Amino acid sequence: MMRIVAAGAALALAALSLTACAPGAAAGRSDVGVQLFQMPWTALADECESTLGPAGYGWVLTSPPQESIAGEEWWVSYQPVSYRLESRLGTRDEFADMVKRCDAAGVDIIADAVINHMSGQSEPGTGFAGSAYEHDRYPGLYEPADFHDCGLTGDNDIRDYRDREQVQNCELVNLADLDTAAPHVRDTIVAYLNDLLSLGVAGFRIDAAKHIAATDVEAIVAELPDDAIIMSEVIRGSGEPVLPEEYLAAGSVFEFTYARDLGIQFVAGAFTEPDLSTERPQHVPSDQAIVFVDNHDTERGESQITYRDGDTYAMANVLMLADDYGTPVVYSGYAYTDRDMGAPTTASGTIEPVTCAEGARGPQDFADGERTCVHAWDAVAPMVKFRIAVGDAARMPGVTVADAYGFEREGKGAVAVNQGTDEVALTLSTSMPDGIYCDVLVADCAATFAVKDGAVTFTMAPGQSAAIHVDARG
Ligand code: ARE
């Protein structure tokens, strides 16, 4: 079973599983997460109860919960002005209630912790909840001496990612860079994170962790309870000195290479081993890797595949969720044409509490602002129970036929996708017991596949994914 390393743990030995149930438990929780980008707390609580809990998702990554600069763009969330839990996503009480309701539904909350910096504003302003601030002054929290002044690039902005000192001591896109080695700064950050833990969150995504020295992240994490889960955002960059591996002592890291490798398979229009095999050059160890098809940055940037790619996007999610590398997080945001556009707001300026209970169950042409609900798609959500069913069964070598690709999780499940423009019949050998199995990616077991004499043949239309597992017999 995939594991997530907890704060302060001695690497894999003290790994803490996010899953409460043993691998293969039919009605258990999985290690699968979903990033519910810019979903407000009241809607998120409903989502846990209506969709995530029943589907078996184990955790949600939220957007940052702290007060930020005021503004319409989504990215205001990443410019803190105080650590009050009061934002366009909801109030402190709503956040606390959401954590409780999600927990009752079996879903852990991982909060996005923006602790590398404060705002990127050059002029003084007033935050969403009324806190006054200046670029390097946040009354009651930070004074100018609490920030780095790198003095290396003229305007203090990072110019060269190949220079460690710039990356960690200069400003990321003008965001006031906290001196995380200073005791007062560390204590203030630790108090904020402990406050969130006191409300029941399970752990944190450490935003922009690359821009914080790994030793500082470790020192902050060391002050948190041992079971706090840490996922550091350290984008692996070609020729850059700051590596994801440096952050493994603090917990898990997001492994961007996985998404890149997966995306290439679809852009090339054909699957080429060994890229999707278990050989993973430039990947952190599986038990400390968080993997994803895309996220809120990469869907607006480098990702080769996003919700706009419809069936292809579903296929990529299916392969990730069937795979044995890393702890997967499904990305679920909203449609946009303008990169900066925030999620739709109510008259009072908070984000509209739209859930996915009645939302999209598959790819379509989404209108701007509409939630994509990828985690609820018929061709994605059932893969969570596939993952529970296969547990830690070995991933068998992939088989390619024309533009289709598939593999078995030994004796427990099998999966295949067809990215070609013709129907393909792909046969896998399997040690699953003979019998009829539901294609779990078709609702209500309306389609089945037979395992006979150690083999299963998936006949797939163009763009179709198919999956069978031992907990869903036809
Ligand atoms: C916004 C405006 C800027 C303005 C700034 C301050 O867009 O023009 O200067 O505000 O006023 C998000 C948005 C930004 C936004 C920021 C603050 O994406 O557009 O800036 O919020 O509101 C690097 C970091 C990585 C970071 C990415 C975006 O290493 O940590 O850049 N990702 C996280 C979040 C983002 C968020 C922030 C950090 C800031 O996920 O959503 O920004 O909190 C190579 C390197 C990477 C580098 C990448 C892009 O690949 O290897 O390390 O990522 O290039 O530069």
Side-chain angles (χ1 to χ4, degrees):
M1 205 62 181
M2 307 305 156
R3 283 165 193 281
I4 305 245
V5 170
L11 298 182
L13 278 181
L16 172 87
S17 175
L18 269 174
T19 54
C21 295
R29 296 168 63 185
S30 72
D31 64 339
V32 182
V34 52
Q35 178 183 358
L36 288 177
F37 178 60
Q38 293 286 308
M39 183 178 271
W41 314 141
T42 55
L44 208 160
D46 290 344
E47 196 68 25
C48 280
E49 291 167 352
S50 64
T51 310
L52 301 174
Y57 283 98
W59 53 282
V60 168
L61 170 59
T62 71
S63 282
Q66 88 297 318
E67 181 184 6
S68 70
I69 60 165
E72 299 286 304
E73 300 85 355
W74 63 267
W75 43 253
V76 300
S77 291
Y78 289 93
Q79 298 195 40
V81 300
S82 83
Y83 297 134
R84 289 170 60 193
L85 302 182
E86 184 88 35
S87 71
R88 290 198 305 176
L89 296 167
T91 64
R92 180 182 181 87
D93 286 349
E94 287 168 347
F95 184 84
D97 183 59
M98 176 275 288
V99 177
K100 279 205 193 81
R101 286 172 59 194
C102 287
D103 184 59
V107 182
D108 285 336
I109 297 299
I110 303 291
D112 200 346
V114 184
I115 58 172
N116 168 66
H117 52 261
M118 297 298 280
S119 84
Q121 303 303 301
S122 303
E123 301 300 324
T126 304
F128 175 85
S131 299
Y133 66 86
E134 296 171 34
H135 184 71
D136 56 1
R137 198 182 293 275
Y138 300 83
L141 285 180
Y142 301 122
E143 296 292 313
D146 295 323
F147 293 89
H148 283 138
D149 178 7
C150 75
L152 295 171
T153 59
D155 64 359
N156 274 351
D157 270 10
I158 299 166
R159 294 262 176 280
D160 184 359
Y161 273 83
R162 288 164 305 174
D163 180 340
R164 176 183 292 268
E165 209 179 325
Q166 279 193 35
V167 171
Q168 299 192 328
N169 295 337
C170 294
E171 294 184 338
L172 168 64
V173 295
N174 197 40
L175 298 160
D177 198 59
L178 285 163
D179 176 5
T180 44
H184 168 70
V185 173
R186 280 192 188 166
D187 290 350
T188 309
I189 290 171
V190 166
Y192 167 50
L193 301 182
N194 271 327
D195 182 40
L196 288 168
L197 290 167
S198 78
L199 300 180
V201 307
F204 307 102
R205 167 187 185 267
I206 307 293
D207 178 68
K210 181 193 280 185
H211 305 278
I212 308 174
T215 45
D216 292 352
V217 174
E218 269 174 70
I220 289 165
V221 166
E223 297 299 315
L224 305 177
D226 281 351
D227 61 354
I229 292 162
I230 299 297
M231 307 176 178
S232 294
E233 186 227 8
V234 186
I235 302 175
R236 198 185 285 282
S238 161
E240 293 185 25
V242 185
L243 297 172
E245 282 74 9
E246 296 170 29
Y247 295 81
L248 295 177
S252 301
V253 299
F254 289 85
E255 180 50 89
F256 282 70
T257 310
Y258 182 86
R260 291 168 184 156
D261 287 353
L262 189 57
I264 287 166
Q265 310 286 319
F266 290 98
V267 174
F271 298 101
T272 48
E273 293 278 359
D275 288 345
L276 278 177
S277 79
T278 47
E279 271 173 52
R280 312 275 186 195
Q282 283 226 331
H283 283 41
V284 296
S286 178
D287 61 359
Q288 288 185 275
I290 310 294
V291 296
F292 51 94
V293 175
D294 62 344
N295 67 22
H296 67 287
D297 284 336
T298 66
E299 79 166 341
R300 291 172 170 75
E302 69 169 47
S303 186
Q304 311 270 17
I305 25 178
T306 69
Y307 74 88
R308 291 194 182 92
D309 297 299
D311 289 338
T312 304
Y313 190 59
M315 284 189 261
N317 276 283
V318 164
L319 290 182
M320 171 180 76
L321 293 168
D323 208 346
D324 68 345
Y325 174 76
T327 296
V329 55
V330 172
Y331 175 66
S332 189
Y334 57 85
Y336 63 91
T337 42
D338 169 4
R339 175 204 186 264
D340 296 331
M341 187 194 97
T345 48
T346 62
S348 60
T350 55
I351 303 217
E352 269 180 21
V354 177
T355 68
C356 288
E358 310 272 312
R361 295 193 52 183
Q364 51 189 266
D365 283 333
F366 294 99
D368 265 9
E370 201 177 344
R371 289 210 69 93
T372 59
C373 299
V374 175
H375 63 282
W377 287 3
D378 285 337
V380 173
M383 289 307 294
V384 178
K385 290 206 167 132
F386 174 100
R387 211 168 160 87
I388 294 171
V390 303
D392 57 7
R395 180 204 198 277
M396 306 309 281
V399 172
T400 305
V401 175
D403 294 329
Y405 176 84
F407 57 88
E408 186 202 10
R409 293 295 299 271
E410 194 173 17
K412 297 290 189 181
V415 70
V417 303
N418 176 17
Q419 66 165 317
T421 48
D422 297 319
E423 183 177 283
V424 176
L426 182 143
T427 300
L428 294 175
S429 346
T430 174
S431 54
M432 291 171 71
D434 277 6
I436 304 296
Y437 294 85
C438 301
D439 178 353
V440 295
L441 303 182
V442 177
D444 306 322
C445 197
T448 57
F449 291 106
V451 171
K452 193 160 182 299
D453 302 331
V456 58
T457 297
F458 292 115
T459 304
M460 294 174 289
Q464 191 185 337
S465 309
I468 59 172
H469 63 73
V470 289
D471 290 341
R473 306 286 285 248

